[in-house]
């Protein structure tokens, strides 16, 4: 019997950043989703081409042809945050890149799943003007992703609506989901395949009280640990993708 073929494409979210396994390598929602598929269908063939730091155009350039060559029956294409956080963004080109990624994959006959993107978790001490600008871009991007998915018959996981707005489910950097957020996203993806209506994801990593506004000490710690390295890479014209290879460039079998 031929195994069901599933390929994941994308950036750090699909690579699994924020969800380290026991050995320190990233697991992530796509790996978890593959395991859930295997529990339901039996052994499946799974590849994960996602690499952190890539823009949608870079994903089109580096992952689209390899994904098509694997002839998947199911493929996920979730990306965009690395475009949206850049100071300069040509939105028309960004939307065209999203349309090319999703549309080309859908034209192969594979079932395509994409997703909207949530606003980064509370506790990330972004300056108010920057957070407002990012939220505005996210809202516009998500509207286009929903439209593109409908145009090409792709399923759209509406994480912008489903992921809780608080700090529950987010990793320490407040930019990527933590293990619980990745788990909840994988479960929601299964629900999407089953035709379940979208609902707010249930996560257990919720603090007992509202964390309130971050203190100056917390802001400085966050900036030193997460913001400064990002700014340095931007100034040097570098990417977090440098030297990083896809963790599953070819199919491997996932069993229940």
């Amino acid at each position: 019997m031929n195994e069901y073929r599933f390929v994941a494409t994308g950036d750090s979210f699909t690579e699994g950043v924020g969800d380290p396994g026991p050995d320190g390598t990233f697991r992530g929602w796509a790996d978890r989703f593959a395991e859930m598929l295997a529990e339901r269908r039996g052994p499946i063939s799974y590849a994960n081409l996602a690499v952190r730091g890539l823009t949608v155009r870079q994903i089109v350039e580096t992952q689209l042809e390899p994904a098509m060559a694997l002839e998947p029956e199911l493929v996920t294409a979730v990306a965009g945050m690395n475009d949206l956080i850049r100071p300069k963004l040509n939105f028309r080109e960004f939307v065209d890149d999203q349309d090319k990624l999703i549309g080309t994959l859908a034209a192969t006959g594979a079932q395509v799943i994409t997703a909207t993107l949530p606003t980064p978790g509370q506790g990330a001490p972004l300056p108010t003007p920057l957070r407002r600008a990012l939220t505005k871009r996210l809202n516009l991007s998500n509207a286009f992703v929903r439209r593109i998915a409908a145009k090409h018959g792709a399923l759209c996981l509406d994480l912008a609506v489903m992921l809780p707005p608080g700090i529950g489910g987010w990793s320490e950097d407040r930019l990527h989901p933590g293990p619980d957020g990745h788990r909840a996203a994988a479960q929601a993806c299964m629900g999407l395949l089953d035709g379940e209506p979208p609902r707010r994801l249930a996560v257990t990593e919720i603090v007992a009280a509202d964390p309130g506004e971050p203190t100056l000490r917390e802001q400085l710690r966050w900036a030193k640990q997460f913001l400064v390295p990002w700014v340095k890479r931007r100034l040097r014209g570098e990417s977090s993708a440098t030297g990083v290879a896809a963790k599953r460039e070819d199919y491997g079998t996932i069993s229940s």
Side-chain angles (χ1 to χ4, degrees):
M1 180 182 297
N2 293 330
E3 293 179 352
Y4 186 71
R5 302 181 303 279
F6 167 37
V7 174
T9 67
D11 53 26
S12 57
F13 175 49
T14 301
E15 184 186 348
V17 173
D19 185 17
D23 61 354
T25 58
F26 293 122
R27 188 181 181 191
W29 74 275
D31 288 14
R32 292 172 179 269
F33 179 45
E35 293 163 5
M36 293 176 186
L37 284 171
E39 289 178 359
R40 173 176 296 187
R41 306 181 66 104
I44 70 166
S45 295
Y46 170 55
N48 188 324
L49 309 180
V51 173
R52 71 197 74 171
L54 297 185
T55 63
V56 178
R57 176 158 298 180
Q58 290 170 328
I59 292 168
V60 168
E61 293 171 346
T62 62
Q63 298 177 26
L64 187 54
E65 287 190 8
M68 294 171 64
L70 291 169
E71 300 182 344
E73 296 170 78
L74 173 67
V75 58
T76 57
V78 182
M81 185 63 80
N82 291 309
D83 298 82
L84 299 175
I85 62 176
R86 279 165 166 72
K88 295 182 180 180
L89 172 65
N90 185 318
F91 216 92
R92 181 179 295 275
E93 292 181 355
F94 169 70
V95 171
D96 287 345
D97 291 337
Q98 289 275 26
D99 186 78
K100 183 175 182 179
L101 176 63
I102 295 170
T104 303
L105 291 170
T108 67
Q111 174 65 72
V112 178
I113 297 178
T114 188
T116 60
L117 302 175
T119 302
Q122 290 180 1
L126 299 173
T128 299
L130 179 57
R131 179 176 288 277
R132 287 176 177 170
L134 178 57
T135 299
K136 183 177 180 180
R137 283 185 175 185
L138 277 165
N139 290 339
L140 185 58
S141 170
N142 289 337
F144 275 108
V145 167
R146 294 183 187 103
R147 186 181 303 176
I148 291 168
K151 171 184 173 182
H152 296 292
L155 297 175
C156 185
L157 186 65
D158 208 341
L159 293 176
V161 172
M162 300 169 73
L163 198 63
I167 68 170
W170 291 88
S171 66
E172 187 181 11
D173 67 10
R174 301 293 182 244
L175 300 176
H176 297 93
D180 204 46
H182 279 281
R183 175 195 55 75
Q187 291 177 335
C189 212
M190 284 300 300
L192 186 68
L193 282 182
D194 291 339
E196 295 178 3
R199 64 181 188 276
R200 183 63 58 87
L201 300 185
V203 295
T204 58
E205 296 172 3
I206 303 291
V207 294
D210 187 332
E213 290 296 320
T215 65
L216 178 59
R217 181 186 296 274
E218 291 170 337
Q219 292 180 12
L220 292 174
R221 182 197 60 79
W222 184 87
K224 180 179 179 180
Q225 188 172 355
F226 301 110
L227 181 60
V228 171
W230 183 86
V231 172
K232 286 182 177 179
R233 288 197 301 270
R234 297 267 65 78
L235 293 175
R236 293 194 294 259
E238 298 176 350
S239 168
S240 57
T242 302
V244 179
K247 60 183 178 181
R248 287 178 172 268
E249 294 181 312
D250 203 350
Y251 282 131
T253 296
I254 302 292
S255 301
S256 58

